[in-house]
Amino acid sequence: MPIRNYMQSEYLNYPLSKITITDLPCGSGKTSKMIGALRPDKLYLIVVPLLSEVRRVLAGTLHLNIAEPSSSLTEAGTKKAALIELINRGQSIVTTHQLYSDIGQLAAQGLLKNYNVIIDEVPGVVSVVKTLSKRSLDEFYVASGYLNVSDGGVCTATEKWDNLVDVVSDTLDQQIKQYAQAHNLYVCKHGTFLTAASRDLFSCCASVRVLTYQSKGSYFLRYLEKMKLPYQLETDERLDAAFKARALQLISFANTKSLEKISFGYARQTSYSEHSKEVRIVRSGLKNWRERHLKGVPLEDIMVTCAESNWRDPKAFKNGKLKLTGFAKTTGLGKVHWLANQTRGTNDYSHCSHLIYLYDKHPMPPITQWLECPTKEFSDAYGLTELIQWIWRSRIRNGEPVTLYLPSPRMKRLLQDWLNS
């Protein structure tokens, strides 16, 4: 497997990279091989996307005494406290991405210096906190002396904000203050606040290994480069070529001409009202697909993605109720599997045979500006990576054929060009 070193020559004062990215195709057994390679004489902190993957790791490592943080472990009754308790015991750990920000803080405290961190799927290293107008940022936060902003955009809450926190609580956002106090808040030129993962997570531990595919389309590589963290990239060109050749045989593109003039970018599709022309067209198209092309296909075998608010009410769904919205109404497809378009690292939908992808996926401009990669090339790589990861939640990962409904001309072109490359 070829290993490529990145950023070593640029940063000669850095030690040999602690960070290795295993970039191999979906379904190639990265997680299984990782589990099989764990050694009893090393400490591990394994971070996986879902609880089902936690159970998978625990089942495969019974001989290693790996533990999951449980709120019942401590009097404090929190998983973060349980995580610290396990670290203090010197025990290997498996947990979900939900504790990711806590892990960064513990690394900054030096608690992970003996741990080999393994992250299954690229972590979410940067996200938008809040967007203000440039005037509001300058007038209420900076000029008033509540927030300092460095030349690099790093935000620091001032002593004045600490002293007057109760007085200004109805004016200033306390979430911004909390992120600033954690030393991971940045602001872009146009007033968007971002939070980024702690650099210490990737530098203050024994090693880091990330298991993923198509990492060039992720924020993660750009984050490492911005933070001047050298890394090694493991790839296998022959395995990749075989993967694409097999995918070309297994993916059939359905006729989606009726929806190809609809914009499925996130900002556009979330601007459509319930009674808009675009929503009516999408509903009509989906209903037609259900009655003709998907007739006889069990709803259990269909998965769909779009902005969640265009399919169902998220609050109602969390309470165990299905309240259809937007695109889903009157289509007969309300009870299919809706998956977030960034769903990764799960086999729960590996029986699905028909896939409906209602997105034209682009990275967020404030994030790409901060990462210094606001280019069409990266936008296309990002969109393709998200699409591939989503498709491979289906039964294609088992070597079975799938039918893909992909109405975005851009996304279809990106996928077809990749399959034929």
Side-chain angles (χ1 to χ4, degrees), residues 398-416:
N398 301 326
E400 298 178 80
V402 296
T403 301
L404 178 61
Y405 292 76
L406 185 59
S408 165
R410 170 179 170 266
M411 297 301 291
K412 185 178 291 185
R413 172 182 57 79
L414 291 176
L415 182 61
Q416 290 177 332

Side-chain angles (χ1 to χ4, degrees), residues 27-43:
S28 60
K30 295 188 291 292
T31 304
S32 298
K33 291 173 184 175
M34 175 271 289
I35 292 173
L38 299 177
R39 292 167 41 180
D41 60 332
K42 288 192 172 185
L43 280 175

Side-chain angles (χ1 to χ4, degrees), residues 198-216:
S198 169
R199 187 183 187 280
D200 295 326
L201 172 59
F202 304 100
S203 60
C204 297
C205 52
S207 69
V208 177
R209 180 176 292 272
V210 176
L211 312 178
T212 190
Y213 185 51
Q214 290 284 303
S215 57
K216 66 181 181 180

